[in-house]
Amino acid sequence: MDARYNTAYLWGDLMNQDAAVGSVLRIERASIHDGQGLRTVLFLKGCPLRCRWCSTPESQRPNPEKGYAIDRCTGCGTCVGSCPEGALSMTDNGLKVLTDFSKCNHCFICVSKCLFGAIKEYGSFMSVPEVVQEISKDEIFFFHSSGGVTISGGEPLSQPDFVSEVLRECRALGIHTAMETSLFAPFGSIKKILPWLNVLYVDIKHMDGKLHKQLAGADNSQILENIQKIDQSEYPVEIIVRIPMIPGANDSDANLSLVAEFCKSLKKLKEIELLPYHRLGTDTYKNLAMDYPLKDLVPPSQDRILERASFLSQQNPCFPVRVGGGFV
Ligand code: SF4
Ligand code: SF4
């Protein structure tokens, strides 16, 4: 467990909650990178993997949490006196603030006290009706763009009952549904969601189980098995395989060839997307006092991205290859 968190912040507390309440990171509207048309993207908190390139570290822990942007802090000290738990103190030089996470109960009072936006709340608990109401506000955009809702994370399958309920309600409203997932979860959790899903985006991070474990914290056997089970299931869900393209880690000829080979047998595969590595989450790592292992990695050039996409296409011309994430 992360030493910054007290025992009230374990996975179990979240998993025992009523399925009608979910741990939501944020809701983003009008996305054009997470499915067909304009998408409203519901980002959830909590992920059992730890991909070294993760660009949303604020989604990893299961519950809402506090972030601190040291660059924005003026050292005014207003937050320190507002904390009912005495968890905040000034640094020795009196310029910045320290949080004693063994005392912090994540009440977020300090967030509202900071006039400079230096303390931020990552996530909140929301009920199924609250979430569906937010999503359905965009129905007119869905209608005109053939868009819909995309559930993302974190890992949505960490909250399978909540996600199942949200998607069921959305489908009842005629809203197109998609989910971005690692599929690192028991198949029983996935089965709760499949009846309400139009499109499933799944990452294949590496075909070698040992390297997958080094890069993401767990091996890939359950993930690959789940893809095949979904492909053979009765549900008419479209599968889009995504490859996060991490220079030097998984962009070799050998690995891309193995992904292409694996995909050949998938009947429900619609396309493969390459998602080039970027560094957009760097500041968030700092805000959460988390280490970013790939902070010095240089993102791939446009030429390299196109060359890798072309190579992947040549491995099996039967499926389309796209570069995703808004890069090309
Ligand atoms: S979240 Fe609440 S308990 Fe934690 S530091 Fe802020 S005011 Fe104190
Ligand atoms: S209130 Fe905001 S700006 Fe003032 S010390 Fe606290 S975090 Fe820094």
Side-chain angles (χ1 to χ4, degrees):
M1 189 185 71
D2 191 320
R4 296 172 66 218
Y5 285 79
N6 60 34
T7 50
Y9 250 52
L10 288 168
W11 268 101
D13 297 309
L14 177 62
M15 302 307 277
N16 289 336
Q17 281 179 13
D18 191 329
V21 176
S23 183
V24 174
L25 176 60
R26 61 177 172 265
I27 297 174
E28 285 182 11
R29 301 178 189 280
S31 168
I32 55 170
H33 303 304
D34 300 284
Q36 66 179 54
L38 291 174
R39 313 299 298 185
T40 297
V41 186
L42 174 68
F43 290 92
L44 299 179
K45 276 188 66 70
C47 181
L49 295 179
R50 288 295 178 268
C51 300
R52 293 168 68 80
W53 54 87
C54 178
S55 62
T56 52
E58 73 275 30
S59 72
Q60 291 180 359
R61 297 179 185 121
N63 288 353
E65 62 187 313
K66 191 174 74 108
Y68 170 59
I70 194 165
D71 296 343
R72 289 189 174 201
C73 177
T74 64
C76 70
T78 309
C79 58
V80 175
S82 75
C83 176
E85 305 298 327
L88 296 174
S89 60
M90 300 305 293
T91 52
D92 288 344
N93 61 11
L95 296 177
K96 302 293 175 188
V97 173
L98 294 172
T99 301
D100 180 347
F101 281 94
S102 67
K103 293 181 180 170
C104 175
N105 65 6
H106 301 269
C107 68
F108 300 122
I109 289 172
C110 56
V111 176
S112 59
K113 295 296 176 190
C114 178
L115 299 177
F116 301 94
I119 310 181
K120 182 173 169 50
E121 185 176 346
Y122 290 117
S124 60
F125 289 112
M126 292 179 78
S127 68
V128 170
E130 284 171 335
V131 166
V132 174
Q133 190 182 25
E134 284 302 310
I135 293 166
S136 61
K137 283 178 185 170
D138 297 328
E139 265 185 295
I140 189 70
F141 301 109
F142 302 155
F143 180 76
H144 287 291
S145 71
S146 301
V149 64
T150 300
I151 315 287
S152 188
E155 174 48 67
L157 292 169
S158 300
Q159 305 180 58
D161 296 310
F162 176 72
V163 172
S164 175
E165 278 300 296
V166 169
L167 291 181
R168 189 175 64 82
E169 297 272 331
C170 287
R171 285 287 290 269
L173 293 168
I175 296 172
H176 181 271
T177 61
M179 179 170 75
E180 297 172 329
T181 172
S182 70
L183 289 185
F184 183 63
F187 193 66
S189 298
I190 299 167
K191 269 170 73 178
K192 293 178 181 178
I193 291 164
L194 285 179
W196 319 116
L197 202 56
N198 293 119
V199 182
L200 181 137
Y201 291 83
V202 56
D203 280 4
I204 296 185
K205 304 169 202 299
H206 209 294
M207 288 300 289
D208 181 291
K210 276 189 187 161
L211 289 174
H212 192 283
K213 187 166 185 178
Q214 282 175 21
L215 293 169
D219 89 5
N220 58 4
S221 51
Q222 188 179 39
I223 293 167
L224 299 178
E225 200 177 299
N226 280 335
I227 295 174
Q228 287 170 326
K229 281 184 182 170
I230 293 167
D231 192 59
Q232 289 156 16
S233 75
E234 65 196 277
Y235 301 105
V237 60
E238 289 179 343
I239 298 175
I240 296 178
V241 165
R242 282 175 159 171
I243 308 172
M245 182 185 159
I246 315 301
N250 67 352
D251 60 346
S252 65
D253 286 4
N255 187 53
L256 294 183
S257 301
L258 286 172
V259 176
E261 190 60 34
F262 175 82
C263 288
K264 278 180 188 169
S265 65
L266 301 177
K267 298 182 293 295
K268 294 176 179 166
L269 182 74
K270 192 179 167 208
E271 64 183 19
I272 295 186
E273 267 188 25
L274 269 187
L275 293 181
Y277 167 75
H278 60 75
R279 288 193 286 210
L280 293 181
T282 308
D283 281 350
T284 312
Y285 279 91
K286 282 191 219 156
N287 294 350
L288 291 165
M290 291 167 71
D291 183 40
Y292 183 22
L294 298 191
K295 60 179 177 296
D296 297 322
L297 186 66
V298 178
S301 67
Q302 192 93 334
D303 284 351
R304 173 69 175 167
I305 295 166
L306 292 175
E307 186 276 322
R308 290 290 77 189
S310 165
F311 174 83
L312 194 52
S313 262
Q314 289 161 17
Q315 301 311 297
N316 183 350
C318 296
F319 52 75
V321 173
R322 223 168 62 81
V323 178
F327 278 78
V328 177

XYZ file of all heavy atoms in Angstrom, residues 66 82-85 87-88 99 103-111, ligand 1:
136
model
N -6.371 14.125 -2.747
C -5.957 15.524 -2.784
C -4.626 15.664 -3.530
O -3.690 14.915 -3.270
C -5.764 15.980 -1.337
C -5.580 17.446 -1.126
C -5.550 17.736 0.364
C -4.232 17.277 0.981
N -3.347 18.367 1.360
N -7.070 25.761 8.389
C -8.415 25.249 8.080
C -8.541 23.755 8.302
O -9.647 23.223 8.364
C -8.756 25.555 6.616
O -8.045 24.677 5.750
N -7.439 23.061 8.418
C -7.498 21.590 8.486
C -7.945 21.125 9.875
O -7.250 21.354 10.872
C -6.137 20.993 8.144
S -6.124 19.195 8.331
N -9.091 20.468 9.975
C -9.585 20.030 11.287
C -8.746 18.908 11.906
O -8.851 18.638 13.098
C -11.011 19.544 10.993
C -11.028 19.237 9.548
C -10.019 20.115 8.892
N -7.911 18.263 11.086
C -7.121 17.137 11.575
C -5.685 17.530 11.921
O -4.899 16.676 12.330
C -7.089 16.016 10.515
C -8.456 15.541 10.041
C -9.271 14.942 11.178
O -8.662 14.333 12.079
O -10.504 15.107 11.174
N -3.404 18.173 9.800
C -2.542 17.419 8.886
C -1.613 18.316 8.077
O -0.702 17.820 7.431
C -3.409 16.586 7.937
N -1.859 19.629 8.092
C -1.067 20.529 7.247
C -0.103 21.358 8.085
O -0.431 21.796 9.190
C -2.010 21.470 6.472
C -2.962 20.788 5.477
C -3.939 21.797 4.892
C -2.176 20.109 4.362
N 1.805 17.914 3.825
C 0.636 17.179 4.318
C 1.108 15.913 5.016
O 1.898 15.147 4.456
C -0.301 16.778 3.162
O -0.721 17.949 2.483
C -1.533 16.039 3.677
N -2.587 11.638 8.976
C -3.669 12.356 9.666
C -4.799 12.766 8.716
O -5.932 12.930 9.146
C -3.104 13.620 10.329
C -2.144 13.355 11.479
C -1.678 14.691 12.057
C -0.710 14.474 13.217
N -0.073 15.752 13.606
N -4.480 12.953 7.458
C -5.480 13.467 6.497
C -6.606 12.452 6.296
O -6.347 11.285 6.010
C -4.798 13.756 5.159
S -5.938 14.246 3.852
N -7.852 12.912 6.437
C -8.997 12.023 6.183
C -9.710 12.382 4.888
O -10.836 11.957 4.646
C -9.974 12.043 7.366
C -10.607 13.412 7.521
O -10.410 14.293 6.687
N -11.377 13.612 8.584
N -9.068 13.191 4.067
C -9.567 13.539 2.736
C -10.951 14.194 2.783
O -11.829 13.869 1.995
C -9.556 12.313 1.817
C -8.185 11.734 1.666
N -7.306 12.099 0.669
C -7.511 10.853 2.450
C -6.161 11.459 0.825
N -6.258 10.707 1.895
N -11.112 15.113 3.723
C -12.380 15.858 3.804
C -12.431 16.948 2.735
O -13.503 17.448 2.409
C -12.544 16.481 5.187
S -11.356 17.819 5.516
N -11.294 17.347 2.213
C -11.156 18.339 1.137
C -11.545 19.760 1.548
O -11.787 20.607 0.685
C -11.929 17.901 -0.122
C -11.454 16.583 -0.670
C -12.329 15.514 -0.812
C -10.134 16.393 -1.018
C -11.886 14.298 -1.296
C -9.676 15.186 -1.504
C -10.555 14.126 -1.639
N -11.607 20.030 2.850
C -11.874 21.408 3.302
C -10.772 22.342 2.782
O -11.041 23.459 2.331
C -11.955 21.457 4.848
C -13.238 20.775 5.311
C -11.891 22.903 5.359
C -13.333 20.584 6.816
N -9.545 21.872 2.817
C -8.425 22.733 2.385
C -8.528 23.107 0.914
O -8.034 24.161 0.505
C -7.096 22.048 2.673
S -6.930 20.424 1.931
N -9.177 22.278 0.112
C -9.296 22.574 -1.316
C -10.041 23.888 -1.515
O -9.625 24.768 -2.274
C -10.034 21.428 -2.053
C -10.239 21.771 -3.521
C -9.256 20.123 -1.918
S -8.221 17.090 3.028
Fe -9.078 17.668 5.039
S -7.892 16.463 6.507
Fe -6.750 16.409 4.594
S -5.288 18.082 4.705
Fe -7.115 18.910 3.685
S -8.375 19.778 5.319
Fe -6.849 18.446 6.286
